[in-house]
Amino acid sequence: MSSSLPQILLVDDTVANLQLVSDFLMKAGFNVLAVKSGIQALKIVAITEPDLILLDVVMPEMDGFEVCRRLKAQEETQDIPVIFMTAVADRANPSYKIKGLKLGAVDYISKPIQLEEVLLRVQTHLQLRALTQQLTEQNACLQQEIRVRHQTQQILQETERRWRSLLENVQLLVVGLDWQGDVEYMNPFGLGLTGYTSAEVFGKNWFNTFIPSSEQPQLKQTFHELLYHNSHAYYQNSILTKSGEERLIAWNNTVLRDITGAIAGIMSIGEDITQRQAVERMKNEFISLVSHELRTPLTSMRGSLGLLKMGVYDNQPDKAKRMLDIAVTDCDRLGRLVNDILSLERLDSGQVTLVKEVCDVADLIKHSVEAIDAIAEAAGIAIQVTPLSAQVYVAPDTIIQTLTNLLSNAIKFSESNTTITVGVQHQSDCILFHVTDQGRGIPTEHLERIFGRFQQVDVSDSRQKGGTGLGLAICRSIIQQHGGGIWAESTLGSGSTFYFTLPVYKESVQ
């Protein structure tokens, strides 16, 4: 096609996905061809070569794996980057990933699709392809110039300068290895990522210096096959930095030859995908956790109501009432879970506008304690308040919600006949709140993690204590949006103290 826009071929048998992704990419400045089957995709590629293909795995008639195999079998289409799109269940299956990468795919995107993720990956792989093509073209150009000897030394120097400028300024890891695997070049970005100086790197064996010992045999074999069979142009592996940290790198490799055509080594362009993989893992874990937490009360409700529907307890009214109580309890838990998820998403996405006003700290604590006092009394727990009159500029309902959440947690994890202390301290630049209990305490390794979504010290707590695992995440989001901080300190067997700060009120903040 004559369009100067990058052309993306989108292949998915789900019309909704086609429309959603196609509209988003077109708005982002891409020319998108959207088809619903692998057969249609192959027909399109035979007519016009797209810059990149987004390919669904599971499709009728011809799945994405077969489409990719046919594309990579043809010289005209084998270099087109293919990104598979697959469901979470498929993405979690290692055999799918291995099969796709062996067929020549450059990446995977999990469903449900995050449009921003799709855009970032498309842009990254288009950049990688463009850089690879530039390097290949420049390498061929240099060899041609040497062979024909018609170019002047000045032109050669200028070409070298441009080549170096490209490699040394690109925000990707660029490594040149000779045919033995010794480092001949590493760009400044790569040196910064690994923590080495150029003197420490050049001439060192890549595998012995940068590759974890457990991966060295496989990667040496991959390197050999890349050199002599031109396979494994795209792959991922971990590298070790000077400090011993592991970073996951996605590589795009090009074999280099000298003026006689003999293999000289490889030039590899790598993207650090450590953070992206961590985000993807967190996304998958979040989806799994949400699915599990929603499914658990639904399963219990279905079981209880199913027994009632079948008439199992028609002649046992006490047991029938117990089944209804279970269903109502789980329905309430499900409602709390959904409300907490929605509240957290609105807070984190900035959809909640905090309507702030000048409030007295003592009043905020008073309202919070009154809201929870009946529960504390029923549990045989006393709440002791250390009064302090100070003013803060806050959204009062959200601060009361934070205090109530912390008090509720303290009650849940405290024994009868113990005391919970609520106090406030006036510091130089903030007001420090604390809620202290005499409960079981929290292991040190969990103190930071408990403020994440669905994070609890004991996985059985959500069922035994009635929590959703989102309360502290909501507290953290509220306090951060007020410009404060929140943290916990604890001694196992002696209790825990949760702290949060709010900025000192000044009239100018209004």
Side-chain angles (χ1 to χ4, degrees):
M1 298 182 65
S2 60
S3 173
S4 60
L5 297 175
Q7 183 167 271
I8 309 299
L9 176 57
L10 175 61
V11 189
D12 197 318
D13 63 332
T14 303
V15 175
N17 284 345
L18 278 178
Q19 189 64 47
L20 180 67
V21 178
S22 178
D23 289 348
F24 183 79
L25 290 177
M26 284 193 288
K27 289 179 180 178
F30 296 95
N31 182 32
V32 180
L33 297 173
V35 296
K36 295 190 292 184
S37 74
I39 294 174
Q40 289 177 313
L42 293 174
K43 291 180 179 179
I44 290 291
V45 173
I47 298 172
T48 179
E49 180 182 330
D51 296 299
L52 183 141
I53 299 175
L54 288 170
L55 182 59
D56 190 14
V57 173
V58 181
M59 296 184 293
E61 299 182 354
M62 183 184 295
D63 66 15
F65 291 142
E66 177 60 17
V67 175
C68 185
R69 187 191 68 78
R70 295 192 184 189
L71 289 170
K72 298 304 176 181
Q74 299 294 324
E75 184 177 353
E76 297 81 6
T77 59
Q78 64 182 1
D79 291 331
I80 301 174
V82 175
I83 300 177
F84 278 127
M85 301 184 297
T86 186
V88 172
D90 296 338
R91 177 66 178 87
N93 185 341
S95 65
Y96 269 70
K97 178 180 179 181
I98 294 170
K99 182 176 181 180
L101 292 176
K102 283 184 176 179
L103 286 171
V106 299
D107 209 344
Y108 264 74
I109 295 177
S110 302
K111 292 182 180 179
I113 291 171
Q114 299 293 324
L115 294 176
E116 292 80 6
E117 180 187 9
V118 172
L119 178 59
L120 286 174
R121 295 203 187 191
V122 166
Q123 290 173 334
T124 295
H125 287 292
L126 286 176
Q127 183 186 27
L128 286 172
R129 189 188 189 201
L131 284 170
T132 300
Q133 289 173 339
Q134 273 188 285
L135 289 173
T136 302
E137 290 168 2
Q138 288 196 359
N139 184 52
C141 179
L142 286 173
Q143 293 180 33
Q144 179 64 20
E145 289 170 353
I146 295 172
R147 279 194 297 268
V148 298
R149 299 179 182 272
H150 290 162
Q151 299 293 337
T152 64
Q153 187 62 31
Q154 185 178 9
I155 294 176
L156 287 173
Q157 290 175 347
E158 177 61 19
T159 302
E160 173 70 10
R161 185 194 67 79
R162 293 180 182 180
W163 184 69
R164 287 282 176 180
S165 177
L166 170 67
L167 297 182
E168 293 182 3
N169 290 287
V170 67
Q171 294 301 294
L172 294 167
L173 174 60
V174 182
V175 177
L177 305 180
D178 65 16
W179 65 276
Q180 293 179 310
D182 294 333
V183 178
E184 292 186 325
Y185 174 79
M186 182 180 289
N187 71 337
F189 181 85
L191 294 171
L193 178 67
T194 59
Y196 287 98
T197 65
S198 58
E200 293 173 317
V201 167
F202 297 150
K204 297 293 176 60
N205 184 267
W206 172 256
F207 303 100
N208 296 338
T209 306
F210 292 96
I211 305 300
S213 57
S214 60
E215 297 184 33
Q216 287 181 17
Q218 178 60 46
L219 283 174
K220 286 179 180 178
Q221 178 65 27
T222 299
F223 179 73
H224 182 273
E225 293 174 359
L226 173 62
L227 282 178
Y228 299 104
H229 303 288
N230 202 27
S231 57
H232 306 293
Y234 309 101
Y235 62 83
Q236 300 174 5
N237 69 270
S238 297
I239 66 170
L240 292 172
T241 67
K242 187 177 181 179
S243 65
E245 178 187 11
E246 285 196 18
R247 308 295 297 183
L248 184 61
I249 309 296
W251 295 104
N252 190 329
N253 304 291
T254 300
V255 176
L256 300 178
R257 298 179 182 273
D258 62 22
I259 59 173
T260 68
I263 293 171
I266 66 168
M267 182 69 72
S268 300
I269 304 172
E271 178 194 7
D272 182 359
I273 61 172
T274 309
Q275 185 63 32
R276 192 175 80 195
Q277 290 292 95
V279 170
E280 182 174 330
R281 184 166 56 252
M282 289 173 60
K283 182 185 74 173
N284 290 339
E285 290 173 356
F286 177 70
I287 292 172
S288 177
L289 284 167
V290 170
S291 300
H292 176 269
E293 294 297 332
L294 290 174
R295 192 181 299 114
T296 300
L298 285 172
T299 301
S300 178
M301 290 162 58
R302 181 179 178 83
S304 300
L305 296 175
L307 290 172
L308 292 176
K309 180 180 178 181
M310 290 187 292
V312 174
Y313 298 123
D314 284 353
N315 298 320
Q316 302 177 63
D318 289 343
K319 289 189 175 181
K321 182 178 183 300
R322 174 59 181 157
M323 291 299 102
L324 283 174
D325 289 342
I326 290 173
V328 170
T329 298
D330 283 318
C331 186
D332 290 342
R333 180 184 167 205
L334 186 61
R336 290 195 303 271
L337 179 61
V338 171
N339 286 336
D340 281 353
I341 291 173
L342 293 175
S343 295
L344 189 56
E345 288 302 316
R346 284 195 295 266
L347 284 166
D348 287 349
S349 63
Q351 295 179 20
V352 175
T353 301
L354 298 179
V355 181
K356 296 182 180 181
E357 58 186 75
V358 179
C359 301
D360 192 275
V361 168
D363 290 337
L364 295 173
I365 294 177
K366 177 174 177 291
H367 289 307
S368 303
V369 172
E370 287 175 349
I372 209 78
D373 198 42
I375 298 175
E377 185 175 349
I381 295 170
I383 299 178
Q384 179 180 328
V385 178
T386 303
L388 174 70
S389 182
Q391 289 187 322
V392 288
Y393 187 60
V394 297
D397 288 343
T398 63
I399 301 304
I400 291 172
Q401 179 184 1
T402 299
L403 284 165
T404 302
N405 279 351
L406 296 178
L407 286 167
S408 176
N409 281 350
I411 293 169
K412 287 176 186 176
F413 299 104
S414 295
E415 300 293 334
S416 297
N417 301 316
T418 59
T419 300
I420 295 171
T421 303
V422 185
V424 181
Q425 296 178 11
H426 203 308
Q427 300 193 338
S428 60
D429 58 349
C430 68
I431 303 295
L432 176 66
F433 293 73
H434 70 84
V435 176
T436 302
D437 63 56
Q438 297 172 323
R440 68 191 188 191
I442 303 168
T444 302
E445 65 269 20
H446 290 275
L447 288 174
E448 177 62 28
R449 197 176 72 185
I450 56 175
F451 291 95
R453 301 183 181 199
F454 298 109
Q455 295 296 326
Q456 295 178 319
V457 175
D458 188 333
V459 294
S460 65
D461 286 342
S462 63
R463 288 170 284 282
Q464 295 177 0
K465 307 295 184 181
T468 64
L470 293 171
L472 290 177
I474 291 173
C475 291
R476 180 174 65 177
S477 185
I478 290 172
I479 297 304
Q480 287 178 344
Q481 291 198 36
H482 279 85
I486 185 168
W487 68 96
E489 297 177 0
S490 184
T491 302
L492 277 177
S494 300
S496 305
T497 299
F498 283 79
Y499 298 93
F500 68 88
T501 60
L502 293 173
V504 173
Y505 166 68
K506 298 177 182 178
E507 291 188 10
S508 60
V509 302
Q510 299 185 66

